Amino acid sequence: MTATPYLRPNTGENSLKGAFDSLIATHINQIGPSMLVQVETVEAGGASITGKVTVRPMVQQQDALSRARPHDLIHNVPYLRLQGGTSALIIDPKPGDIGFIIISGRDHTHAVTTRKPSPPASFRQFSMQDCVYVGGFLNNGPDQFIQATDAGWRIVTPGTVSIEASEITANCDIVTSGDVRAGGISLKQHTHGGVQAGTGRSSPP
């Protein structure tokens, strides 16, 4: 007989081995596995505390007759933000993103709520309610991105780049096809007053 991955194997439940196999399989099935999920909604707080998502497991359940049964939505799932101390790269998930959930071994509700070491909130173990979201996988190509290439770093955005800093220091030449403005003065369009006509040139800055 050719085995099929879509049907449960015959464990021979009438034998002692079959009974043990069935008991072990029952315990394994009660462990919530890490799995692919799709983001349904996002509660993001901008630059404040990391938000949470509601996700839908993408791999459905099956009954004994191999009929598909969708999972329930999983709510209030903390998501990953690349952060160290007070420095972070903030890219919040969006509805439709595909990612992975990693499931805790114990009920982590208190730890998530207080953000401090805490005892488990219940005797619940390996439950999909106790998970975090890591994305994204299998998503479409982005419209804006930062890309590392062999030639250097590439920044692409259809919008504007806004930098808020006390000072910017660049140890390199800066080349632009557009204009540069400082204090409202255009590098291309500014004029000098108090000059006389002639062939003389002003000195470099």
Side-chain angles (χ1 to χ4, degrees), residues 79-153:
Y79 59 79
L80 174 68
R81 174 182 287 176
L82 296 180
Q83 184 166 349
T86 56
S87 301
L89 177 62
I90 300 177
I91 305 178
D92 293 321
K94 298 295 183 183
D97 283 357
I98 296 175
F100 231 75
I101 54 171
I102 302 174
I103 296 176
S104 301
R106 299 296 300 273
D107 185 344
H108 67 197
T109 303
H110 287 339
V112 170
T113 302
T114 64
R115 293 188 291 154
K116 297 179 180 179
S118 307
S122 69
F123 293 106
R124 187 171 66 207
Q125 297 184 20
F126 300 105
S127 170
M128 285 194 291
Q129 298 176 61
D130 304 307
C131 66
V132 294
Y133 171 80
V134 180
F137 303 92
L138 308 176
N139 295 323
N140 295 326
D143 293 328
Q144 60 182 5
F145 52 88
I146 300 175
Q147 180 183 16
T149 70
D150 293 338
W153 288 95

